[in-house]
Amino acid sequence: MSAVRGLWQIFVNGLFESNPIFRLALSLCPALAVTSNVYNAFGMGMSVLFVITANNMAVSLTRKLINAKVRVPVYITSIATIVTVVQLVLEAYFPRLYQELGIYLALIVVFAIILARAEVFAAKNPIIPSMVDGLGMGAGFAGAMVLIGVIREVIGNGTILDIPLFGPNYAPALIMILPAGGFITIGLLIAFFNHLTEVRKQAREKLALQEGGETA
Amino acid sequence: MSSETNVVKVAANLTLACLVSGLVIAGVYSITAPEAARQKELAKTQAMQELVKEADQFAPIAGKTGWFEAKKGGKVLATVLPSESKGYGGPIKLLVAVTPEGKVHDFKVLGHNETPGLGDNIKKPKFKDQFPGKALAQLNVVKQPVADGSAIEAITGATISSKALTVAVREAVEAVAAAKTSATPDHVAGTQPITDPERLQVLRELIPAATGFHTVVGKTAWVAVEKGDQLLAYVLPAESQGYGGVMRLAVAVSTDGKVLAAKTMAHKETIRRADEALAPAYLQNFVGLSLSDLAGGKSVDAIAGATVTSKAVLACVTKALGDVNDYQSGVKG
């Protein structure tokens, strides 16, 4: 029971407390570049989810074999391999997505969040928790991407997944699908998440204070 | 642990990592490559099908990479070709369909980097629908609205994208026109098509397979006959002395130096049975003969009772064959 709860903790950690984009502010480049519509944001999110999970597992499996001196090159090789596989698969089975994601796909190789999880978590933990950590971080990343994508596509283009929402007379706020809109969206979302964390922290402190008062 | 074993270990570590990586990628590639190639092919035909909806077949054009002929039941509807020009944010890649008359059929944007919401309006119907039916001279971008559709109206706030796109379309139309000119046979250069209806009538009866007739440079009264893009034959007048005076035949000589057809145009023969020697049935006997056939003794028997006339006909045919032979060796030399 506690093992499952531990795994759940690891998973949820990636979603909120250590959300790659909103809390760690890592991998902002793709968060800006491919979130101008939901389809691309989701595709990118899923690609990263897969890469980070697969890489965490690979790193965790080989953590006892890899010489500490060359761990980073080995991690990069591993990530690059997985990314290439993703690229080949997308090219063959999802050509539209492959075309849209373009160079950003190859850039997954150097996403800080993937190397960071390999180094911080997978290199020190067994395979199952590493996998769950990858899934959590990946889901946190994908969720954040989709959230940004939804906001930008709805406001900036008046559509969601290319389906018009407001009818033909809606004049979309172009700035939202331009890079500037990406910065604004991400900035506001990070502020919102910071505020949320702050509120939760205060609530917990208050709770702890009350409990402390009662026992005293 | 000594530093040497460490180095070996490090090297082994990296080598092994790369080896595994290579194997994995090779394995996946071998599975996905055929599917990726199929998808690419599919995307191409799909794009072309969208472009020329009526077409049921796309035949690649020999010698032109990426060019296709969109056909329906063997009839060419349009030439589909890729085109590209520099837009505001990078290259704009298009697939353009050009009608056989040299007008824009339609185009499809394959890839671009134009500003979302401004430049990417080049894909929207309001702008795009201006193109179909436009000829080369009408493919100019203007900023003011044009009522008669004699030009392309730029998208507000995206003049550069509008211009770039129009240039790409124009270049495609020009390329098709250029390809057509270069595909026309050399003999057409500097000549005029035959327009006189009476003459055309005679020529068509003479060579039913022909698709075009042109004058011949430096040869009055000669006609170059085309079938499609190919020069098929020359039709030329030939005269000789008959029994009652000068007779004139129109002889069609194929480019390989054989009689293709002949027709009596004028004569003054009065003797009995001369008509027989001038009739189509008799002239038909000459078809397929070449100069070397005649030199080798192969000939057409004269009509009994009209030997002189028959010989005059033969002389006309021989002369026509000789003229074409001289002309062609002159042209080639």
Side-chain angles (χ1 to χ4, degrees), chain A:
Chain A
M1 193 61 206
S2 72
V4 175
R5 181 176 276 179
L7 290 180
W8 179 245
Q9 278 294 309
I10 294 171
F11 183 76
V12 172
N13 178 48
L15 285 185
F16 298 106
E17 250 145 85
S18 300
N19 185 294
I21 293 177
F22 297 140
R23 297 294 301 148
L24 304 180
L26 286 175
S27 306
L28 287 179
C29 157
L32 280 169
V34 299
T35 52
S36 59
N37 68 61
V38 179
Y39 182 78
N40 290 354
F42 182 74
M44 189 63 159
M46 283 299 119
S47 305
V48 170
L49 174 79
F50 177 77
V51 173
I52 198 171
T53 308
N55 186 59
N56 266 7
M57 289 166 75
V59 167
S60 171
L61 265 181
T62 55
R63 69 187 191 277
K64 283 173 185 141
L65 305 171
I66 293 165
N67 190 304
K69 279 188 178 157
V70 288
R71 63 180 195 284
V72 173
V74 172
Y75 294 163
I76 295 284
T77 311
S78 160
I79 299 168
T81 309
I82 297 164
V83 169
T84 309
V85 168
V86 169
Q87 258 184 318
L88 290 173
V89 170
L90 286 186
E91 188 183 6
Y93 303 105
F94 304 94
R96 183 193 150 188
L97 192 62
Y98 177 75
Q99 228 180 8
E100 297 277 341
L101 295 181
I103 57 159
Y104 301 108
L105 212 50
L107 276 181
I108 298 179
V109 176
V110 289
F111 274 14
I113 182 67
I114 295 171
L115 193 59
R117 290 329 282 178
E119 175 85 4
V120 171
F121 198 93
K124 298 167 191 155
N125 286 287
I127 182 157
I128 298 293
S130 297
M131 185 184 84
V132 173
D133 178 70
L135 286 173
M137 282 291 162
F141 178 83
M145 291 287 280
V146 171
L147 181 59
I148 302 168
V150 167
I151 294 172
R152 291 181 67 189
E153 191 180 335
V154 167
I155 303 178
N157 205 26
T159 61
I160 192 154
L161 286 170
D162 284 340
I163 303 159
L165 291 180
F166 309 120
N169 290 327
Y170 175 71
L174 269 189
I175 191 168
M176 290 305 281
I177 45 175
L178 299 179
F183 279 110
I184 294 169
T185 313
I186 292 171
L188 290 176
L189 282 172
I190 288 178
F192 173 71
F193 266 73
N194 281 346
H195 177 69
L196 213 66
T197 320
E198 197 65 30
V199 169
R200 276 180 63 184
K201 207 172 114 195
Q202 277 175 4
R204 219 177 297 144
E205 276 170 5
K206 217 172 169 183
L207 201 72
L209 216 63
Q210 276 175 0
E211 280 173 0
E214 274 162 23
T215 44

Side-chain angles (χ1 to χ4, degrees), chain B residues 56-122:
Chain B
D56 53 16
Q57 189 202 347
F58 295 95
I61 297 177
K64 298 269 186 188
T65 25
W67 288 42
F68 288 85
E69 262 179 349
K71 292 180 180 172
K72 189 190 179 182
K75 187 173 169 268
V76 177
L77 294 175
T79 307
V80 179
L81 67 159
S83 187
E84 191 180 325
S85 77
K86 204 175 157 295
Y88 186 74
I92 300 179
K93 289 183 182 169
L94 297 181
L95 206 56
V96 186
V98 183
T99 64
E101 296 84 45
K103 288 181 173 172
V104 181
H105 177 81
D106 204 356
F107 69 87
K108 184 175 163 62
V109 180
L110 294 181
H112 73 90
N113 254 322
E114 303 309 285
T115 320
L118 292 172
D120 74 349
N121 281 336
I122 50 175

Side-chain angles (χ1 to χ4, degrees), chain B residues 135-208:
Chain B
L136 196 55
Q138 298 167 313
L139 289 172
N140 291 308
V141 178
V142 291
K143 287 195 181 184
Q144 273 72 41
V146 275
D148 58 349
S150 61
I152 302 292
E153 191 187 333
I155 300 163
T156 316
T159 313
I160 294 177
S161 305
S162 308
K163 278 190 176 156
L165 193 115
T166 310
V167 164
V169 173
R170 190 164 59 209
E171 278 175 3
V173 176
E174 275 169 357
V176 170
K180 208 166 255 173
T181 324
S182 68
T184 13
D186 295 340
H187 70 272
V188 172
T191 67
Q192 264 88 48
I194 309 286
T195 48
D196 177 20
E198 272 174 50
R199 232 176 137 196
L200 273 178
Q201 175 81 23
V202 172
L203 287 166
R204 286 216 183 91
E205 274 171 20
L206 205 58
I207 310 165

Side-chain angles (χ1 to χ4, degrees), chain B residues 97-319:
Chain B
V98 183
T99 64
E101 296 84 45
K103 288 181 173 172
V104 181
H105 177 81
D106 204 356
F107 69 87
K108 184 175 163 62
V109 180
L110 294 181
H112 73 90
N113 254 322
E114 303 309 285
T115 320
L118 292 172
D120 74 349
N121 281 336
I122 50 175
K123 289 167 144 179
K124 297 255 167 84
K126 187 175 183 260
F127 179 70
K128 197 170 175 280
D129 289 352
Q130 299 185 78
F131 282 87
K134 287 262 196 306
L136 196 55
Q138 298 167 313
L139 289 172
N140 291 308
V141 178
V142 291
K143 287 195 181 184
Q144 273 72 41
V146 275
D148 58 349
S150 61
I152 302 292
E153 191 187 333
I155 300 163
T156 316
T159 313
I160 294 177
S161 305
S162 308
K163 278 190 176 156
L165 193 115
T166 310
V167 164
V169 173
R170 190 164 59 209
E171 278 175 3
V173 176
E174 275 169 357
V176 170
K180 208 166 255 173
T181 324
S182 68
T184 13
D186 295 340
H187 70 272
V188 172
T191 67
Q192 264 88 48
I194 309 286
T195 48
D196 177 20
E198 272 174 50
R199 232 176 137 196
L200 273 178
Q201 175 81 23
V202 172
L203 287 166
R204 286 216 183 91
E205 274 171 20
L206 205 58
I207 310 165
T211 55
F213 304 97
H214 281 82
T215 56
V216 177
V217 177
K219 291 281 180 187
T220 22
W222 281 40
V223 176
V225 182
E226 298 105 39
K227 187 182 179 187
D229 290 342
Q230 294 292 312
L231 176 60
L232 190 69
Y234 293 102
V235 176
L236 62 154
E239 288 179 352
S240 82
Q241 188 67 42
Y243 186 79
V246 175
M247 67 162 69
R248 200 169 79 240
L249 262 65
V251 184
V253 181
S254 65
T255 44
D256 55 357
K258 288 179 178 162
V259 177
L260 205 64
K263 185 178 163 65
T264 311
M265 301 304 288
H267 69 92
K268 288 176 178 160
E269 308 300 284
T270 50
I271 56 158
R272 203 166 57 85
R273 304 203 67 186
D275 283 352
E276 212 174 308
L278 298 166
Y282 181 69
L283 294 175
Q284 187 65 31
N285 294 331
F286 291 89
V287 171
L289 286 180
S290 68
L291 263 190
S292 51
D293 285 341
L294 294 172
K298 205 173 158 193
S299 188
V300 176
D301 290 337
I303 300 279
T307 320
V308 177
T309 311
S310 304
K311 279 195 171 152
V313 170
L314 178 63
C316 282
V317 171
T318 314
K319 192 168 171 293

